[in-house]
Amino acid sequence: MCGRFVLTLPDDEMARLFGAAPANDLPPVPNFNICPTNRVHAVVSDGAQRRLTAMRWGFLPHWYKTLTDGPLLINARAETIAEKPAFRAACRERRCILPATGFYEWTKDDAGNRLPWYIRPADGAPIAFAAVWQLWERGEERLVTCAIVTTGANDAMSAIHHRMPVTLAPDDYALWLGEDGKGAATLMSSAPEDRFVFHRVDAKVNSNRAHGADLIQPLVA
């Protein structure tokens, strides 16, 4: 799965990398501890133009009457996304990309303590999470919400967790965003074995109130 991530790219750099026009109300960066329900950067396309906009991380199906009417859907499983009522329309019609620098995952020790790991691309390149989005409206309340698509972990990542986010190569952005026709389902696979490297970090990142660049520094024994 993917439950926390990091974004350090400036807005103008993200706009350049994705060829997207930036909105005026984007969340502040850098952010070293992006948590569910936070506002996140997202790239969307109408087929003619890409936009870098803000969304709420935590997908709200249209039938939710309140923000807490059901489980918080921060991830969508690639294997079932086209069938699940919450995601199947979004999978066909409302795909987006969430930029990231890295993300966190957790293992447990023999005592059950949660041990955080920071995961980043081996080449230092930005990450493009495959995601889907949904407009949720109730009365005057209007939120654009999203979920990150996940798949089974590759062998390297399975040492930490059995799931991992679906990540896109630059040549795949247009297909995922619906600009190159159909076939986006072919992109929902695990990353190559050498795509990511990872290291343990301090347990203070377990708190959603923790912030700062020290969160991603290797843990010193």
Side-chain angles (χ1 to χ4, degrees):
M1 63 174 295
C2 181
R4 303 273 187 90
F5 67 96
V6 173
L7 181 60
T8 62
L9 296 170
D11 293 343
D12 57 353
E13 179 67 6
M14 282 184 275
R16 184 189 66 79
L17 285 170
F18 293 97
N24 295 322
D25 61 344
L26 295 170
V29 283
N31 189 337
F32 293 90
N33 193 10
I34 299 173
C35 304
T37 74
N38 286 173
R39 295 173 71 245
V40 297
H41 292 71
V43 179
V44 296
S45 175
D46 61 7
Q49 184 181 35
R50 293 179 187 176
R51 293 181 293 112
L52 180 64
T53 187
M55 296 183 182
R56 175 193 186 264
W57 184 20
F59 191 99
L60 296 177
H62 65 82
W63 61 81
Y64 277 24
K65 296 179 180 179
T66 68
L67 299 181
T68 57
D69 204 27
L72 184 63
L73 304 176
I74 63 171
N75 294 153
R77 294 175 66 94
E79 298 89 342
T80 58
I81 191 172
E83 305 163 5
K84 291 290 186 181
F87 299 121
R88 61 191 177 198
C91 180
R92 293 193 305 268
E93 304 164 5
R94 296 185 299 278
R95 297 187 298 273
C96 62
I97 295 171
L98 305 191
T101 305
F103 60 100
Y104 299 102
E105 198 51 82
W106 281 261
T107 56
K108 289 186 177 180
D109 64 15
D110 293 339
N113 298 307
R114 299 178 74 232
L115 310 177
W117 297 75
Y118 180 60
I119 302 154
R120 61 176 179 82
D123 60 4
I127 301 172
F129 290 140
V132 292
W133 65 273
Q134 170 77 45
L135 173 62
W136 181 84
E137 295 179 290
R138 280 295 181 275
E140 296 183 356
E141 193 166 15
R142 183 179 186 274
L143 290 173
V144 182
T145 68
C146 61
I148 295 171
V149 181
T150 67
T151 189
N154 59 30
D155 287 344
M157 283 291 299
S158 64
I160 300 177
H161 200 275
H162 67 285
R163 304 289 297 175
M164 68 185 302
V166 172
T167 57
L168 305 169
D171 289 346
D172 297 329
Y173 296 167
L175 182 57
W176 183 256
L177 292 173
E179 299 166 346
D180 279 355
K182 298 181 179 180
T186 62
L187 304 177
M188 293 190 288
S189 58
S190 303
E193 297 294 332
D194 60 352
R195 174 76 165 104
F196 294 109
V197 294
F198 42 85
H199 59 258
R200 278 283 314 282
V201 293
D202 194 277
K204 59 189 172 185
V205 76
N206 292 354
S207 169
N208 59 13
R209 298 183 181 88
H211 295 286
D214 59 320
L215 296 180
I216 65 173
Q217 296 304 309
L219 182 66
V220 178

